[in-house]
Amino acid sequence: MKSSTRVAIIGGGVVGCSVLYHLTKLGWSDVMLIERSELTSGSTWHAAGGFHTLNGDTNMAALQGYTIKLYKELEDITGMSCGLHHSGGITLADNQDRFDMLVAERAKHRYMGLDTEILGPAEIGKLAPITNLDGIVGGLYDPLDGHLDPSGTTHAYAKAARMDGATIETHCKVTETNQRPDGTWDVVTEKGTIHAEHVVNAGGLWAREVAAMAGIYAPLHPMEHQYIVTDDIPEIYNRDSEHPHVIDPGGESYLRQEGRGLCIGFYEKPCRPWGVDGTPWDFGHELLPDDFDKIEDSIAFAYERFPVLATAGVKSVIHGPFTFAPDGNPLVGPVPGVRNYWSACGVMAGFSQGGGVGLMLAQWMIEGECERDVTALDVARYGSWITPGYTRPKVIENYQTRFSVSYPNEELPAARPHRTTPMYDTFTALGAVWGHQFGLEVVNYFAKDGDPTYETPTFRRSDAWNATKREVQAVRNGVGINEVQNFGKFRVTGPGARAWLDRIMAGRIPQPGRMSLTPMLSPKGRLWGDFTVSCLSEEEFQLTASYGAQDIHHRWFQQNASDDCTVENISNRRTGFQIAGPKARDLLKACTRNDVDSIKFLDVRHMTIGQVACIVQRVSYTGDLGFEIFCDPMDQRQLWQTLWEAGQPMGITPFGMRAMMSLRLDRFFGSWQREFSPDYTAAETGMDRFISFKKNTDFIGRAAAEAERANPPARTLVSFEVDADDADVVAYEPVFINDQVAGFCTSGGYSHHADKSIAMALVPREHAVNGLVAEIEIMGKRHKATRVTEHLFDPDMTAMRG
């Protein structure tokens, strides 16, 4: 056995073998996979082997498309069969909401290059005649759907990797992973110790145990999953072609042909977590005892939807555990706070996603970044706050809702509330209706008389409409207040702080008492952050950005650390409020003896508000006159009392994120993970106006930004006024120009101030002219969209800057 390697991959399932193959494909041949038993000895061997492209996240859907197309390449490279069956697949809709979701997904596929099709009941009946169409509204057909041989596919990955120099060591259990001072690892196995520059945890069912060896908690949990293979069915074996897959979300089931019969599996509501206290090391080739009781209702429903099942005998029952993350997406990438340790875990849909996961991880390791935004699967989307007690109920919830309709305004309830600020009880008493981000409870809106205390999930305008409108109008006409806890916040201190920030950030770093807006770029010029930099002194800066991205950003800061400054994540050590609206200055003046009138736009001051020492900066995401006021969490309730009492004569109104996201549309402000993400560059999104090309610093991403400055990118971000009905743009709706799909929406919504439906979209630069008239598809219908360039509120910026 080799005693050293560049990369040691722990785990020989389909994901580990995919990572191994993609590392060799991208040029690293000194790579090694270590498996405690045989390849495919975990979840892989008993997987149903189905694959599909449908996924609510467009980047995940694209990675699934890549994975499916990769299998033919593996067969060509290795001469081995993956047992491919491209039978096509239909997802059924048994109600209008489910059909609306499929229509919205089909719209996204238009610009993704996926050849899917919306079907009516009669068309479904022709393709899948064993389906009882009672109650079926329609469905989505994808010709790429199918199934394969799990073992053959995994071994094809392994052979392709070996052909390019990779090593695989089976029957070699890892017992320890110990990091050396230089960041490399000693991987201790039953056959000896392997010294590795990098470790990849692809442990599957054992990923929690492998992570624990390095002192890491992997937020994963296995769930029992059961599927049935039937005896021969004449309606199946007498067909001229293979029966397509059929996903019946209403019945929580998926069905496909297996030989001369059928295979049907279930995501039942009375599900059961497995291995609560850990996965036994000697588990692997066993199955769990049959448990028909928990799928009794699902089977009964399946008999009605597919009547041929009622008379078919059962050939075999496969009941085994699969591992899930709390949101069902994989956990991939460099683990924050641990050098050279990589995650490739929680890939529940291994044969739909395994190839894409392997490609992304290999790009990340070798090139330093991925070709697309991988936030949805980034291991850093969960922070140090997550625990097994949180993970388990969220995994159960995800399993139970795997086939449920996913609404853009839905807030899932499991394991909540988890993290709250000192204002939680106060805001709840004021009628707060809560959302959540990165484990934190965040107010969506405040319900008053007649407002719903639960926002009904919908694809159309929700029943929170009136409450949101009231809050928007309160901000625009008086003064509104909301929390600033849900900003990621960092403190940068030391003699080298300014120089470090000049290198990390592409924009201008402000002088003491001032703040600036700046993008943070990847080496290839993609957006890795949208930051506000506040200079508190020459050796102390505060950074604010997305709360949900705080661990992703902190990981990047650590990877690019300097000996001359210290970067601390203070997201939960500094909190406070935003006040905004024409009366915001008057409110602040009523609460302090400090000079308020002299505070200019983008000024930063240390001030005493009532009894509380605060950092006050004049800026507001509402686009109005506004101030962000930061304090110690221990002082937050006192600060609230001061502002709230002083604001009563002014009609002070608390507002939530629904109003905030409406207010930002009035000035076409972009939002992180919508307009701004690693999928886009600064020049594409207009963020290049904040880049300081004058500064004498080779900031990260400068060469790429300079290149785009000289040769502007093909697409650019624009805003549209949309002639919408009862639904507004959410994201990824296609934009038609001259009757051709030419772009897509990044986000949108309703401006309650202007009473207009607004969309933001990336379109070809040559079409981005004043007066551009396009069409945007919303819920299956095209709507006229006219480009707007003048801001809907304060176009001359007198309120914001005056």
Side-chain angles (χ1 to χ4, degrees), residues 163-392:
M163 290 170 66
D164 279 336
T167 301
I168 296 176
E169 194 72 35
T170 58
H171 299 284
C172 186
K173 179 183 173 184
V174 173
T175 58
E176 297 178 33
T177 55
N178 302 313
Q179 190 163 40
R180 296 184 180 184
D182 65 357
T184 62
W185 291 84
D186 286 326
V187 181
V188 181
T189 78
E190 293 175 326
K191 294 183 179 180
T193 298
I194 302 160
H195 180 221
E197 181 181 346
H198 300 273
V199 170
V200 177
N201 179 357
L205 285 173
W206 296 268
R208 294 174 297 172
E209 286 71 27
V210 172
M213 293 178 188
I216 298 165
Y217 171 61
L220 300 164
H221 205 292
M223 296 292 293
E224 297 180 5
H225 183 68
Q226 200 163 199
Y227 65 89
I228 296 168
V229 178
T230 73
D231 287 328
D232 295 356
I233 299 174
E235 291 87 345
I236 296 299
Y237 64 71
N238 285 329
R239 286 175 55 89
D240 293 332
S241 60
E242 186 170 7
H243 195 280
H245 285 212
V246 182
I247 295 177
D248 179 24
E252 303 157 349
S253 71
Y254 59 87
L255 173 144
R256 67 168 175 83
Q257 184 170 338
E258 174 69 19
R260 290 161 60 88
L262 291 169
C263 165
I264 183 167
F266 306 98
Y267 283 89
E268 69 283 356
K269 291 292 191 294
C271 57
R272 186 174 298 120
W274 182 85
V276 172
D277 295 316
T279 302
W281 283 109
D282 58 357
F283 183 84
H285 291 282
E286 306 87 344
L287 288 173
L288 306 178
D290 298 348
D291 188 351
F292 288 102
D293 288 344
K294 69 174 180 171
I295 59 173
E296 181 179 4
D297 291 343
S298 299
I299 291 174
F301 195 100
Y303 283 179
E304 294 183 11
R305 180 64 67 208
F306 308 106
V308 296
L309 292 172
T311 55
V314 174
K315 180 183 293 184
S316 59
V317 178
I318 309 298
H319 191 200
F322 287 85
T323 302
F324 295 73
D327 61 1
N329 279 347
L331 297 175
V332 180
V335 174
V338 188
R339 291 172 63 190
N340 299 335
Y341 194 98
W342 303 78
S343 176
C345 308
V347 190
M348 179 275 301
F351 293 98
S352 291
Q353 300 172 347
V357 165
L359 175 65
M360 292 301 101
L361 191 66
Q363 289 179 347
W364 217 331
M365 295 180 76
I366 295 173
E367 301 173 13
E369 58 183 290
C370 305
E371 67 185 48
R372 62 178 65 249
D373 181 11
V374 291
T375 302
L377 51 79
D378 193 330
V379 65
R381 70 185 185 274
Y382 295 107
S384 58
W385 51 269
I386 197 166
T387 65
Y390 177 94
T391 298
R392 186 164 57 255

Side-chain angles (χ1 to χ4, degrees), residues 534-737:
S534 305
C535 183
L536 304 178
S537 72
E538 192 54 42
E539 294 191 8
E540 182 181 3
F541 296 81
Q542 175 177 287
L543 314 181
T544 55
S546 165
Y547 187 80
Q550 63 184 267
D551 272 30
I552 293 173
H553 288 150
H554 198 206
R555 179 179 62 198
W556 181 242
F557 296 155
Q558 290 173 321
Q559 290 171 351
N560 293 276
S562 167
D563 293 336
D564 296 329
C565 69
T566 301
V567 182
E568 304 167 81
N569 183 350
I570 60 168
S571 298
N572 298 319
R573 288 158 45 196
R574 194 165 285 174
T575 189
F577 302 98
Q578 172 187 197
I579 56 173
K583 297 180 181 178
R585 182 184 286 113
D586 294 336
L587 173 59
L588 190 59
K589 290 169 69 173
C591 299
T592 182
R593 298 183 62 83
N594 295 99
D595 178 17
V596 174
D597 287 327
S598 66
I599 302 177
K600 301 186 297 296
F601 181 61
L602 300 184
D603 270 357
V604 183
R605 302 274 180 91
H606 285 282
M607 300 175 68
T608 300
I609 311 298
Q611 302 175 24
V612 179
C614 299
I615 297 169
V616 179
Q617 49 194 39
R618 186 175 160 190
V619 70
S620 174
Y621 192 52
T622 66
D624 213 322
L625 168 66
F627 302 86
E628 292 173 352
I629 307 170
F630 296 93
C631 68
D632 187 294
M634 294 292 286
D635 296 327
Q636 189 183 19
R637 290 169 67 95
Q638 174 60 40
L639 177 60
W640 164 263
Q641 196 67 28
T642 298
L643 293 168
W644 185 246
E645 289 180 359
Q648 291 306 305
M650 306 174 195
I652 189 171
T653 300
F655 67 101
M657 289 306 297
R658 296 283 187 261
M660 178 76 87
M661 297 309 286
S662 174
L663 290 159
R664 62 109 185 178
L665 293 174
D666 296 338
R667 294 199 55 81
F668 314 141
F669 285 165
S671 176
W672 187 248
Q673 281 298 298
R674 292 176 173 88
E675 284 65 47
F676 310 137
S677 86
D679 274 333
Y680 314 130
T681 67
E684 287 177 321
T685 59
M687 286 293 286
D688 55 337
R689 70 187 184 276
F690 297 115
I691 293 178
S692 177
F693 290 105
K694 294 180 180 179
K695 68 180 183 180
N696 187 26
T697 306
D698 187 21
F699 57 82
I700 295 172
R702 178 162 194 154
E706 294 275 15
E708 283 203 320
R709 189 185 188 196
N711 297 287
R715 61 188 182 181
T716 189
L717 187 68
V718 299
S719 299
F720 288 103
E721 179 183 338
V722 186
D723 292 349
D725 294 330
D726 61 346
D728 303 297
V729 159
V730 176
Y732 300 112
E733 293 85 352
V735 178
F736 291 81
I737 301 175

